[in-house]
Amino acid sequence: MAFTKKYFFNCYLLLCLTAFSFAQRIQNLNVFVAGTSVGIKFTIGTGAQCGGYKIYHSLDSSIFNQIYDYPGTCGNSSMPEDVSYTHTNPAINQTNYYKVELVPVETSLIKRVFVPNVVNAKLIVYPNPIVQIYDLLNLKIPNIGSTRLVGFISSQFGNPLKQIDITTQGDLASINVYDLTNGLFVIWLTDGIKAYSSKFIIVR
């Protein structure tokens, strides 16, 4: 009888430890407005590897649609992993709801954010495409003057790749893109009132 109790206690302890190792893997989930897009950031806490993650979107916090699926291995047993994603077409002037699923570990709490309408303004980028040895993407924003702009460059799939914080000189500015590989990219900037965005291609 004592052996049986000890055996079941050990099994229970093992199950608790196993459950704990998977607990609270999704940490610091944050959703925020980036012009007419929504940035989604979270951390996958240390622990056993997971089988990818999925991001869901809803307009009523009840019915969710999958907007991104990362099917690869995620998570690390020794250090946390930061993840970011940009939802480029949320509902404007509405509250948008988001949640994250670690496969097959857990699903996060629901986060919500209101996305207001932002006036889009003209942004010219050149050279486009960027070829050969060019590392600078030049920007021209008519009639903006000297203004601080913040934003990011994302892949064509909405994944943020590079944070931007620049001040234009007159109507002009430039961004070093030496660290980006060939492909199609989207640049998005804002002065807090207007949003500026354009696509560009790198084919070095």
Side-chain angles (χ1 to χ4, degrees):
M1 179 66 70
F3 174 78
T4 302
K5 289 183 178 180
K6 184 176 181 180
Y7 173 79
F8 282 112
F9 175 78
N10 288 337
C11 289
Y12 174 77
L13 182 62
L14 179 62
L15 288 172
C16 289
L17 290 174
T18 301
F20 179 76
S21 68
F22 288 110
Q24 298 181 348
R25 295 291 307 283
I26 301 174
Q27 302 170 357
N28 306 319
L29 175 59
N30 184 30
V31 296
F32 54 92
V33 174
T36 54
S37 298
V38 172
I40 303 163
K41 291 187 176 182
F42 62 95
T43 299
I44 301 176
T46 56
Q49 291 181 328
C50 46
Y53 58 86
K54 299 179 180 181
I55 300 175
Y56 297 89
H57 172 251
S58 173
L59 294 178
D60 61 5
S61 75
S62 177
I63 300 174
F64 282 84
N65 295 310
Q66 180 180 300
I67 57 173
Y68 185 71
D69 180 9
Y70 178 80
T73 301
C74 61
N76 191 300
S77 60
S78 59
M79 60 189 303
E81 176 184 344
D82 293 326
V83 177
S84 61
Y85 175 77
T86 301
H87 186 205
T88 57
N89 58 336
I92 305 300
N93 288 330
Q94 294 187 52
T95 298
N96 293 253
Y97 300 85
Y98 297 89
K99 65 180 180 180
V100 176
E101 177 190 6
L102 287 189
V103 183
V105 183
E106 67 168 331
T107 300
S108 72
L109 297 175
I110 297 171
K111 293 285 187 174
R112 67 180 182 180
V113 62
F114 181 83
V115 183
N117 188 34
V118 177
V119 177
N120 288 311
K122 187 174 183 180
L123 169 63
I124 301 168
V125 298
Y126 61 95
N128 190 14
I130 296 176
V131 298
Q132 299 176 351
I133 61 173
Y134 290 105
D135 285 331
L136 289 180
L137 177 68
N138 298 303
L139 315 177
K140 180 177 177 60
I141 305 174
N143 305 315
I144 193 175
S146 295
T147 303
R148 183 187 179 193
L149 300 170
V150 296
F152 55 86
I153 293 176
S154 68
S155 72
Q156 61 179 314
F157 304 108
N159 298 317
L161 302 174
K162 188 179 184 73
Q163 298 291 323
I164 300 173
D165 188 338
I166 58 173
T167 299
T168 59
Q169 302 298 318
D171 296 349
L172 305 175
S174 60
I175 299 170
N176 201 320
V177 292
Y178 73 94
D179 51 345
L180 297 179
T181 58
N182 290 351
L184 174 64
F185 303 90
V186 178
I187 180 171
W188 182 89
L189 299 168
T190 184
D191 58 4
I193 299 174
K194 295 182 179 180
Y196 308 86
S197 65
S198 180
K199 295 181 180 179
F200 66 95
I201 299 172
I202 296 179
V203 286
R204 294 191 185 97

